[in-house]
Amino acid sequence: MENNITFTRTNTQSQLIRDKLSEKLLEDNKIINRRQGLTAKGFDKIKSIAGIGRSQKKILQKIEDYKAGKIDYESTDKYIKDYKYGQRDATEITLDTLTGAGSFGAYALSKKLIAFAQPFMDENIKIKVGKYSKFAAAGLAILTGMTLKPALRFIDRIYLKRKEKKDNKTFWKDTLTGALDGAMAPIAMLKNGLLGIPLVLGENTLQRYIFIKRDDKKSVKDFIEKQKDNLAIKAAGAGLLTYKTHKLNSSLKSWDKAISQAIENIKDLKPFEKVDSTSGFMEIANQAQVLLDPKFITEILGEGKSIEEKMRLIEEKNIFLPKFLQTIPENVLGMLKGFQPEIMGIKLTNLDDFATIITRFKSDCPQSRTVKEAQEFISKTYGDKYTIIKDKALGVGTVAETFLAKDNTTGKEVVLKFLKKGMSKEKIENDRQLFINALKDANKDNPEKADYLTRKINSLYDAWVQEVDLSKEMEATQILGKNARHYNAVKPIEVKDNIYVMEKAPGIQFNEFIDEMMKQNKKISEKEMFAILTNYFQVFFEQLLSVPKKGMKVMHADPHPGNVFIDITNREKPFTFIDTGNVLRYTPEEAIENALNHIDYFIGNTTGIAKALLRNANLPEGMTKKQAQKIVEDGLKEKVYNGHTNLVGENLFKEVNNIGLQIMEEHNIIPNQNNTNLLKAELTYLSNLTCLKDIQRILDKDTDRLTQIEAKEQLKIMLKEIQESIINSAINNKRYTTKQIKDRLKFIEENKEQFYSTILSFVQEMS
């Protein structure tokens, strides 16, 4: 009985001891777990799910087994300590691997940048840079390592409590070991990584042994024994470093080769062949003989008719002719003989009149009604509410005309717009069918050509038929004005029976601004001059390059000088747009594409240019988008971005787009009309600058000059537009903006020679 009691007491005491030691083991484990960062936690999760290696799940089971008397205390305690070491080791390996990869990237990038910049340097500077380039690259790699590892450690421990962070300060150790990781970047490149990576791994192992806590390294043998743990992690780290090194080394070699070839390419630059694009009008004009028959040409160029009568004759023929003439360059004398060979037998006279007709059709078409007829037309709808107050039309286009009138109920001046006499949707549709029949008849033996020309004429007429509904123009004006930040859209009042009433635009027509100011003997100060220039660039950036914070982007598609008014009394928004029947609307994603697409012309990104030209294009049957893109891209590479072409010209965008459109035309690809309007609008915004080229003539030199500080402020205002556009891109659709940038970086990486030849061609010509 006594023995039994003694045995029971002994068992009870042993259990109490195991319970107490179990609590100690659990507390030790809690401390370890509490001090683990995100990396260690992640590894523990992976090991628990996979059932491999030491993990929290297994530790808790070990403690339960010890408590039950299945295993001894020493083995349980050792298991926990080995787990603690393994987690620390895995964390260090991960952070060192990421730091090494980042440092290798910085090393390779600096080498690329140095190689990229050397051709632009003075010979003496080039020698010095070449001499110290390796040291500079290595220095950047070390600096990257010094900053990257502490940053990664901060992220790893970001959720830990302040006390845990305080008890585990490693900033200076991380800075030093990060610098060592960075210093290994040049060594990692040895023998394309085959020799370098083993040396890097050896250095990293030695580094971890030196900086490991004393309690965790009883001996070198013990440390080496522990390296067997986390073999999967170490293998992954070695694999990542090897892959990164091999890739960077290959990239450096390919860049060196591309740069050398690009330097050879630009030694003998030749101008690329410029082409004139008339948006497909010329081909249709040649094919549809009904347009320019000899009798009709004789009437236009013959004697006895005024310019106005000849223009009316052209408009009565069909809507295509005046629209076509608007696309022809004003220097028509040399072009006339080329665009219609069949009329060579006719004696051409009054070519000067024809040139005048072409010029006038661009902004001053003939009036279809007298003032009396126009007033009668208005009164049928609005009664005596509006009275015309000028003896001629305010403005006339190919479809509509406008008159200045007085609103008799308010006394204010207003503008009324309505379709020209004889113009209607039915007329346009009749014209369309006439052309389709003529084109099909001219291409009876070539149905593929007939189909292409029919699609092309439909594309044009689909856009023109929209112009006859003036209620849509009023709606477009409201949208344009609502979205405007740096300009005004003329304010709409009402529309009834297709007679559109709007407020009178303040100021002077943009193309008449300088002459009108001189006629009135008005002057502007230097501050006012720079304010006008600054605001125009604000409008330019807003319309072409900006991305809205939210919602649709809206832009005027026909901003020729006659459709823009300038009011110098309005300091904040001097520019006002009229004639908003042709407005382009874009999603934020499309606006981002449009903004970034301008970069493509200067980096040789033929993929980006081709995509932009082909957006919503009408493809021939059987052709895919991918095939169309390859056709345009290959054509641009052959004719423009071939490494041997001088890209510095009068207007790079126009010349490249014309070649792209010609390539599309050769393969029966019809550009989307909105896309064509966008290209035309961009060129118009640039050409509008000519309206300000003589602004010095109205400058009052006796007024206060613009100070240097004020000039800098004006520049800041312009740069702010670009900055806001970038910020809005990120706010609007960060993922899409990033994708667009990545696409361009990918193109550069895959087309190094083309990219570098493009950059060098600009630099060489400008220097």
Side-chain angles (χ1 to χ4, degrees):
M1 186 79 173
E2 270 185 32
N3 287 338
N4 239 354
I5 292 167
T6 304
F7 181 73
T8 303
R9 282 176 181 169
T10 304
N11 279 346
T12 303
Q13 287 172 348
S14 297
Q15 188 61 50
L16 286 170
I17 292 168
R18 277 199 298 271
D19 288 347
K20 200 161 188 178
L21 290 173
S22 295
E23 287 176 12
K24 181 182 180 299
L25 291 171
L26 283 168
E27 187 59 33
D28 289 345
N29 184 50
K30 280 181 183 177
I31 293 170
I32 293 167
N33 197 34
R34 199 166 57 232
R35 291 180 176 179
Q36 286 190 124
L38 293 171
T39 308
K41 289 277 189 188
F43 283 127
D44 183 78
K45 195 80 174 171
I46 293 167
K47 287 189 284 186
S48 293
I49 294 169
I52 57 171
R54 297 181 180 87
S55 65
Q56 276 292 306
K57 191 176 179 181
K58 289 184 180 180
I59 285 175
L60 294 174
Q61 186 59 52
K62 288 276 184 187
I63 294 172
E64 284 297 318
D65 288 346
Y66 166 69
K67 193 174 180 180
K70 295 179 182 178
I71 57 175
D72 59 63
Y73 176 81
E74 286 75 19
S75 63
T76 308
D77 185 52
K78 184 178 184 302
Y79 188 92
I80 294 172
K81 285 178 178 175
D82 287 346
Y83 168 80
K84 175 186 172 184
Y85 172 81
Q87 291 294 88
R88 282 183 180 173
D89 198 45
T91 299
E92 292 304 316
I93 292 168
T94 303
L95 297 186
D96 282 330
T97 300
L98 294 174
T99 302
S103 299
F104 300 166
Y107 178 78
L109 178 63
S110 61
K111 294 272 284 182
K112 285 179 186 178
L113 290 174
I114 290 167
F116 180 82
Q118 276 191 332
F120 311 126
M121 297 176 185
D122 179 79
E123 201 61 40
N124 292 329
I125 297 174
K126 192 186 296 184
I127 292 168
K128 288 180 181 179
V129 169
K131 188 177 179 181
Y132 297 108
S133 62
K134 289 183 180 179
F135 298 105
L140 181 61
I142 292 169
L143 186 62
T144 301
M146 288 173 66
T147 53
L148 184 57
K149 190 168 182 184
L152 291 171
R153 182 78 70 183
F154 174 79
I155 295 167
D156 181 62
R157 293 177 172 175
I158 197 163
Y159 77 97
L160 294 185
K161 292 180 180 178
R162 184 179 294 180
K163 184 179 183 303
E164 305 304 333
K165 292 177 183 177
K166 193 175 181 181
D167 291 343
N168 289 275
K169 287 182 178 179
T170 57
F171 177 77
W172 293 112
K173 186 190 86 170
D174 289 335
T175 302
L176 179 56
T177 55
L180 291 171
D181 291 337
M184 296 303 291
I187 295 169
M189 302 291 184
L190 295 174
K191 298 292 181 183
N192 207 19
L194 296 176
L195 175 61
I197 293 303
L199 290 173
V200 170
L201 295 175
E203 181 277 334
N204 186 254
T205 304
L206 179 62
Q207 178 193 122
R208 282 184 288 113
Y209 176 75
I210 293 169
F211 288 99
I212 201 171
K213 289 188 176 182
R214 285 185 183 180
D215 295 344
D216 293 328
K217 56 177 181 183
K218 295 174 182 176
S219 65
V220 175
K221 183 180 177 182
D222 180 60
F223 174 77
I224 293 171
E225 189 68 27
K226 285 181 178 178
Q227 296 312 300
K228 293 177 183 177
D229 295 336
N230 300 315
L231 284 175
I233 296 165
K234 290 165 185 171
L240 175 62
L241 288 175
T242 304
Y243 168 75
K244 186 78 174 174
T245 303
H246 178 76
K247 190 176 180 183
L248 291 173
N249 206 39
S250 300
S251 179
L252 285 174
K253 287 179 179 177
S254 62
W255 269 104
D256 286 340
K257 184 180 177 182
I259 289 170
S260 298
Q261 187 58 52
I263 292 169
E264 286 298 313
N265 290 343
I266 64 157
K267 285 182 178 178
D268 184 26
L269 290 178
K270 297 180 177 66
F272 61 79
E273 184 182 346
K274 297 180 181 181
V275 299
D276 287 315
S277 172
T278 55
S279 305
F281 283 90
M282 191 71 73
E283 185 175 13
I284 294 170
N286 281 330
Q287 289 284 328
Q289 298 297 318
V290 68
L291 296 175
L292 298 174
D293 58 81
K295 182 181 176 183
F296 186 59
I297 286 292
T298 305
E299 286 181 324
I300 294 174
L301 298 176
E303 302 287 347
K305 291 187 180 71
S306 68
I307 295 291
E308 291 281 327
E309 289 173 320
K310 291 177 180 180
M311 291 177 74
R312 286 197 194 96
L313 185 65
I314 291 170
E315 285 190 328
E316 287 169 10
K317 187 75 174 175
N318 50 60
I319 192 174
F320 179 89
L321 265 176
K323 294 284 189 182
F324 169 44
L325 295 177
Q326 287 177 341
T327 68
I328 296 177
E330 292 182 22
N331 182 18
V332 71
L333 299 179
M335 191 175 180
L336 185 61
K337 296 176 183 177
F339 85 87
Q340 190 68 25
E342 14 317 43
I343 62 171
M344 289 295 291
I346 299 173
K347 185 178 180 182
L348 301 177
T349 58
N350 293 329
L351 294 185
D352 288 343
D353 280 1
F354 201 19
T356 302
I357 288 170
I358 289 170
T359 302
R360 281 197 54 187
F361 264 124
K362 292 176 186 293
S363 60
D364 184 23
C365 297
Q367 192 171 318
S368 71
R369 295 178 179 86
T370 63
V371 170
K372 184 181 178 182
E373 289 172 329
Q375 183 65 64
E376 289 173 355
F377 185 69
I378 294 167
S379 298
K380 284 179 184 177
T381 298
Y382 289 107
D384 59 358
K385 186 175 182 181
Y386 300 110
T387 303
I388 295 174
I389 57 176
K390 267 198 168 187
D391 58 358
K392 66 174 184 176
L394 192 62
V396 185
T398 54
V399 172
E401 51 198 355
T402 58
F403 287 84
L404 183 65
K406 178 183 176 183
D407 183 340
N408 296 316
T409 59
T410 64
K412 290 184 177 179
E413 289 185 348
V414 294
V415 174
L416 287 93
K417 181 175 182 177
F418 38 86
L419 300 183
K420 296 175 81 169
K421 191 189 293 184
M423 179 58 64
S424 66
K425 184 177 179 180
E426 290 70 30
K427 172 181 168 51
I428 293 175
E429 292 297 349
N430 288 338
D431 279 358
R432 184 204 299 258
Q433 199 55 52
L434 175 72
F435 275 94
I436 290 173
N437 293 340
L439 292 170
K440 285 182 177 179
D441 188 57
N443 292 275
K444 287 178 182 177
D445 301 327
N446 191 345
E448 186 179 334
K449 188 72 173 178
D451 174 68
Y452 164 65
L453 292 171
T454 300
R455 287 188 293 118
K456 182 175 280 190
I457 200 71
N458 276 328
S459 175
L460 294 171
Y461 272 83
D462 285 346
W464 296 337
V465 80
Q466 298 295 319
E467 294 182 35
V468 300
D469 188 349
L470 298 183
S471 63
K472 288 185 177 179
E473 179 174 342
M474 180 174 173
E475 179 192 351
T477 306
Q478 290 168 330
I479 295 169
L480 189 68
K482 184 181 177 182
N483 286 270
R485 290 187 300 123
H486 297 300
Y487 59 88
N488 293 303
V490 64
K491 291 180 181 178
I493 297 174
E494 61 181 325
V495 63
K496 187 177 178 182
D497 294 343
N498 220 25
I499 300 177
Y500 173 30
V501 186
M502 68 199 90
E503 290 186 0
K504 181 189 174 187
I508 307 167
Q509 242 176 347
F510 197 28
N511 56 332
E512 298 175 356
F513 172 62
I514 304 295
D515 290 340
E516 190 63 30
M517 290 287 286
M518 291 184 70
K519 191 186 296 182
Q520 296 178 26
N521 200 26
K522 288 183 178 179
K523 298 281 186 179
I524 59 173
S525 68
E526 193 173 66
K527 290 181 182 180
E528 288 175 318
M529 179 182 77
F530 274 92
I532 291 169
L533 292 171
T534 299
N535 187 257
Y536 183 78
F537 280 107
Q538 284 181 305
V539 175
F540 177 88
F541 285 130
E542 180 180 352
Q543 287 280 282
L544 300 184
L545 304 175
S546 72
V547 178
K549 286 183 180 178
K550 59 182 180 179
M552 299 287 287
K553 176 185 170 70
V554 184
M555 65 177 287
H556 198 304
D558 190 19
H560 69 75
N563 284 341
V564 184
F565 278 70
I566 180 168
D567 177 17
I568 59 172
T569 63
N570 187 338
R571 294 291 182 89
E572 290 187 7
K573 295 182 178 180
F575 293 98
T576 299
F577 285 110
I578 66 167
D579 195 8
T580 57
N582 197 350
V583 168
L584 300 173
R585 306 175 195 184
Y586 295 104
T587 64
E589 290 77 18
E590 289 171 333
I592 291 167
E593 283 181 30
N594 290 343
L596 291 176
N597 179 242
H598 292 81
I599 301 169
D600 296 330
Y601 294 81
F602 299 101
I603 64 173
N605 183 6
T606 46
T607 301
I609 297 169
K611 280 183 178 179
L613 289 172
L614 287 165
R615 186 190 294 159
N616 300 321
N618 188 329
L619 306 180
E621 190 176 350
M623 182 183 288
T624 65
K625 287 183 181 178
K626 193 173 181 181
Q627 289 170 333
Q629 185 177 319
K630 189 173 188 319
I631 288 168
V632 178
E633 190 172 347
D634 288 348
L636 289 172
K637 283 181 179 179
E638 178 189 346
K639 296 183 178 184
V640 184
Y641 295 100
N642 49 32
H644 304 284
T645 300
N646 178 7
L647 298 172
V648 179
E650 184 180 334
N651 192 318
L652 179 67
F653 299 115
K654 177 184 176 183
E655 305 302 346
V656 174
N657 287 341
N658 282 352
I659 289 175
L661 292 170
Q662 185 189 61
I663 293 165
M664 291 167 66
E665 188 174 314
E666 288 168 358
H667 292 84
N668 293 348
I669 301 169
I670 301 171
N672 178 268
Q673 197 57 40
N674 274 354
N675 216 24
T676 304
N677 287 341
L678 173 63
L679 299 176
K680 178 184 171 185
E682 291 192 345
L683 296 177
T684 306
Y685 277 110
L686 286 168
S687 64
N688 279 353
L689 287 169
T690 58
C691 297
L692 294 171
K693 67 182 175 66
D694 293 327
I695 198 167
Q696 293 275 356
R697 293 164 61 193
I698 59 170
L699 181 63
D700 187 350
K701 295 179 181 178
D702 295 330
T703 57
D704 293 336
R705 301 297 296 264
L706 193 75
T707 67
Q708 195 171 4
I709 295 172
E710 288 170 330
K712 285 181 179 178
E713 286 301 312
Q714 296 287 347
L715 182 61
K716 280 182 184 177
I717 290 170
M718 284 188 276
L719 294 175
K720 188 180 176 184
E721 291 303 310
I722 301 173
Q723 179 185 326
E724 281 185 9
S725 182
I726 294 168
I727 292 170
N728 288 347
S729 295
I731 292 171
N732 232 319
N733 198 325
K734 185 178 180 181
R735 184 178 296 178
Y736 194 77
T737 303
T738 304
K739 180 188 177 300
Q740 289 294 310
I741 293 170
K742 280 183 176 178
D743 286 347
R744 282 154 180 83
L745 292 175
K746 183 182 177 184
F747 178 87
I748 291 170
E749 185 63 33
E750 293 175 354
N751 300 270
K752 299 178 182 72
E753 184 184 328
Q754 183 171 322
F755 162 73
Y756 203 77
S757 296
T758 303
I759 298 294
L760 282 181
S761 71
F762 285 113
V763 173
Q764 175 164 305
E765 286 302 309
M766 289 176 180
S767 61

